[in-house]
Amino acid sequence: MLTRRFYTLSGSCPDQVGIIARVASFIAQHNGWILESSYHADEGNAEHGSRYFMRMEVKADSLPFHLAEFRQRFAPLAAELSMDWKISDSAVRRRVVLMVSKQEHCLYDLLARWQSKELDIEIPCVISNHEHFKAFVEWHGIAFHHVPIAPDNKEGAYAEIRRIYDEVKGDTMVLARYMQILPADLCERYPGQIINIHHSFLPSFVGARPYHQAYQRGVKLIGATCHYVTRELDQGPIIEQDVIRIDHSDSVDDMVRYGRDIEKAVLARGLRYHLEDRVLLHANKTVIFR
């Protein structure tokens, strides 16, 4: 893990000549030291023209001002470029709220990575529609909120989830196998803040027991997809994916175990890319700077 403090400037704008030259010149004019930079030009399509994506890490103590003044000074240039942009500080830990139902593997993995500092984040609370992991979460010194979901209380339950998330000043919400469909208004309230993980069989094997369905069909690859949550179920912009190969000798139990392992890894990588501002979004498409 890097200990140096840096600012991450990321954004996208319509493609044109001189974008990087102008941004880099702005930073150089203020004696800024660029530690890392990544760029990508996307050709786009008839609806969305070509677009340029960029990410820069700038040594924090090389600049003579803090982020508030950087934002103020950079805004006119960003406006000239029609750039959607943001800048973050590596010294500020993101506040990640975890949500879980009855499957524990992703929750356990994220808490282990948090405890070992592999994920340098704050976890203000865990929210669940069941009480299964209350003692486990509280053992870690993290607040646990039980918010049950029933057909006759969904509106009130999701209002409570919104209240908790806002109260703890959450930056990111992670559905660590939270087996409920979030309402459209909740998804739209926090665009680009809610991350989900699902097995890669979707949409081929939907509903209950997808691994059993896949086993019956002789599937040869299983995997997982980490994506942002939108109002369209499991159709949000993709952050990370991975697969592993299986064969006829693997049982359903083997497939479930492999699936859980890959879900944990993909969710952790996807969350890290998100936290490090390596995911740039435009028109429901992602550009990932690894």
Side-chain angles (χ1 to χ4, degrees), residues 151-280:
D152 60 349
N153 82 328
K154 286 189 175 182
E155 185 175 344
Y158 288 118
E160 176 65 5
I161 289 172
R162 289 194 300 271
R163 184 196 67 77
I164 295 169
Y165 186 73
D166 291 340
E167 185 178 81
V168 301
K169 296 181 172 58
D171 297 307
T172 302
M173 184 184 300
V174 177
L175 309 187
R177 302 304 290 161
Y178 182 73
M179 307 305 290
Q180 295 291 322
I181 300 174
L182 300 186
D185 63 325
L186 185 64
C187 300
E188 292 168 358
R189 183 183 179 95
Y190 307 112
Q193 291 187 44
I194 308 176
I195 294 175
N196 192 20
I197 185 74
H198 67 65
H199 55 76
S200 63
F201 299 136
L202 291 176
S204 299
F205 302 108
V206 299
R209 298 163 67 85
Y211 288 100
H212 293 75
Q213 298 178 55
Y215 179 80
Q216 294 299 326
R217 293 284 298 277
V219 161
K220 299 300 184 288
L221 291 172
I222 61 173
T225 296
C226 176
H227 65 94
Y228 288 110
V229 175
T230 62
R231 62 184 302 156
E232 292 80 25
L233 180 63
D234 292 326
Q235 298 298 313
I238 292 170
I239 305 171
E240 177 66 343
Q241 293 178 299
D242 206 349
V243 296
I244 55 175
R245 182 169 291 280
I246 60 172
D247 62 29
H248 60 276
S249 66
D250 291 304
S251 67
V252 174
D253 289 342
D254 291 330
M255 293 170 65
V256 170
R257 186 174 69 254
Y258 300 154
R260 288 178 175 176
D261 285 344
I262 202 165
E263 285 174 5
K264 292 185 294 186
V266 170
L267 180 57
R269 285 204 303 270
L271 176 57
R272 191 177 76 250
Y273 295 155
H274 168 80
L275 296 172
E276 294 177 355
D277 294 317
R278 296 184 181 275
V279 185
L280 276 68

Side-chain angles (χ1 to χ4, degrees), residues 19-53:
I19 298 169
I20 294 305
R22 296 184 67 182
V23 174
S25 294
F26 169 86
I27 294 172
Q29 287 168 9
H30 297 96
N31 205 37
W33 185 339
I34 298 175
L35 298 168
E36 178 183 309
S37 59
S38 304
Y39 320 106
H40 173 68
D42 189 280
E43 293 183 0
N45 52 42
E47 182 180 358
H48 302 286
S50 60
R51 197 158 183 91
Y52 203 77
F53 297 84

Side-chain angles (χ1 to χ4, degrees), residues 79-196:
E80 290 177 21
L81 296 171
S82 300
M83 180 179 289
D84 297 326
W85 65 284
K86 63 180 178 179
I87 186 166
S88 59
D89 186 345
S90 67
V92 178
R93 290 190 180 95
R94 305 289 180 90
R95 296 177 63 79
V96 178
V97 172
L98 304 181
M99 298 181 64
V100 65
S101 290
K102 291 183 178 180
Q103 297 184 38
E104 72 283 355
H105 55 289
C106 288
L107 173 68
Y108 284 16
D109 182 72
L110 292 176
L111 289 182
R113 294 175 192 268
W114 163 78
Q115 195 167 45
S116 67
K117 304 297 183 183
E118 179 183 335
L119 285 175
D120 192 20
I121 59 177
E122 294 183 16
I123 303 178
C125 68
V126 172
I127 302 173
S128 179
N129 55 323
H130 300 281
E131 294 191 275
H132 290 57
F133 306 117
K134 177 179 172 64
F136 177 75
V137 169
E138 292 179 343
W139 179 83
H140 284 79
I142 298 172
F144 181 89
H145 296 279
H146 177 219
V147 183
I149 305 289
D152 60 349
N153 82 328
K154 286 189 175 182
E155 185 175 344
Y158 288 118
E160 176 65 5
I161 289 172
R162 289 194 300 271
R163 184 196 67 77
I164 295 169
Y165 186 73
D166 291 340
E167 185 178 81
V168 301
K169 296 181 172 58
D171 297 307
T172 302
M173 184 184 300
V174 177
L175 309 187
R177 302 304 290 161
Y178 182 73
M179 307 305 290
Q180 295 291 322
I181 300 174
L182 300 186
D185 63 325
L186 185 64
C187 300
E188 292 168 358
R189 183 183 179 95
Y190 307 112
Q193 291 187 44
I194 308 176
I195 294 175
N196 192 20

